[in-house]
Amino acid sequence: SFLSITVLWAFMVCNANGFSPPSINRSCFLKQVVGTTIATITSVPAPSNADIEFVPASPYFSGTYQDAVEIMYAQRIAVDNIASVINDGNIEEAGFKVMQLNAQTQTAGKIILDTIQENIPSKGDNSITLLRFLSCQKKFASLLDLCEDCGDSLQSAMKGKSGAKTAGQIKSLRTVEETKSAYDDFLGDLKTFEKAIGK
């Protein structure tokens, strides 16, 4: 898919400029991954073969907290694109995009949660900060569950388990809308937490 190709291309460009995993130059990475992804997200379709091998997020990615946040916002835009693809009736392409969404969300979200946990003050009364962190953690878990539900509903639609294709589209769109809300809830909580710890 264009997302996995873009990620691989970003690493190649970084290597060509003297940067190699796991120490990735932030501006180089974001220029190739985030900027290019947003610019091309509606113009480059995923392969039509639903059984094509999926390339997950690179295990070498060790970007900064800000890199991860920007990737999460890029994936929020991707959810809107997935809804448009489903509305157009291209269930196979939507299913492939959701696989990429799931992988990128897991990778970026882990960096975010690990980083904010490290920034929780160890001294003094940090009970409110801990509660905010737990809220972020809970909402991220819900977001991951919905990303998986999106994939499951699209797989069912492709296999005809949801009945007519139109019925499959409706069910998938409902799950995508829930995923949008979960993304917005998580990103909203994240902003609140950042203000609380002065990040």
Side-chain angles (χ1 to χ4, degrees):
S1 78
F2 75 92
L3 281 174
S4 58
I5 292 171
T6 303
V7 171
L8 292 174
W9 179 38
F11 283 113
M12 291 172 65
V13 171
C14 289
N15 286 333
N17 286 279
F19 302 104
S20 59
S23 299
I24 301 170
N25 178 272
R26 179 176 181 273
S27 60
C28 178
F29 180 85
L30 287 177
K31 181 179 179 181
Q32 301 302 329
V33 178
V34 178
T36 306
T37 297
I38 294 173
T40 62
I41 198 165
T42 58
S43 61
V44 183
S48 58
N49 183 358
D51 297 323
I52 191 168
E53 183 179 356
F54 168 61
V55 180
S58 172
Y60 295 109
F61 175 63
S62 60
T64 66
Y65 173 86
Q66 192 57 41
D67 293 338
V69 170
E70 292 185 37
I71 288 172
M72 289 293 283
Y73 276 99
Q75 295 314 303
R76 173 59 184 85
I77 295 172
V79 180
D80 289 331
N81 176 249
I82 288 167
S84 297
V85 172
I86 294 172
N87 272 320
D88 290 340
N90 196 335
I91 303 298
E92 291 81 6
E93 182 178 343
F96 200 86
K97 287 177 182 289
V98 166
M99 285 195 292
Q100 298 288 2
L101 172 76
N102 202 343
Q104 299 297 330
T105 299
Q106 287 186 49
T107 301
K110 184 179 185 303
I111 292 172
I112 289 170
L113 291 178
D114 287 349
T115 303
I116 62 177
Q117 187 172 22
E118 291 169 2
N119 281 272
I120 296 175
S122 57
K123 296 180 180 179
D125 185 6
N126 61 359
S127 57
I128 295 177
T129 305
L130 280 171
L131 286 173
R132 285 173 175 155
F133 170 71
L134 290 174
S135 177
C136 282
Q137 198 174 48
K138 182 178 179 180
K139 289 185 178 180
F140 180 67
S142 296
L143 173 59
L144 288 183
D145 286 343
L146 283 166
C147 285
E148 290 183 6
D149 287 347
C150 277
D152 291 343
S153 65
L154 288 166
Q155 285 292 327
S156 295
M158 283 188 279
K159 294 175 181 177
K161 290 182 180 179
S162 298
K165 190 169 186 179
T166 301
Q169 285 177 251
I170 293 171
K171 182 178 178 180
S172 298
L173 282 169
R174 190 183 306 123
T175 309
V176 169
E177 288 301 319
E178 291 173 356
T179 305
K180 285 183 186 181
S181 296
Y183 244 110
D184 292 338
D185 286 346
F186 173 71
L187 293 173
D189 258 27
L190 185 59
K191 280 186 178 179
T192 301
F193 188 89
E194 288 176 338
K195 289 178 181 178
I197 64 174
K199 190 163 183 61

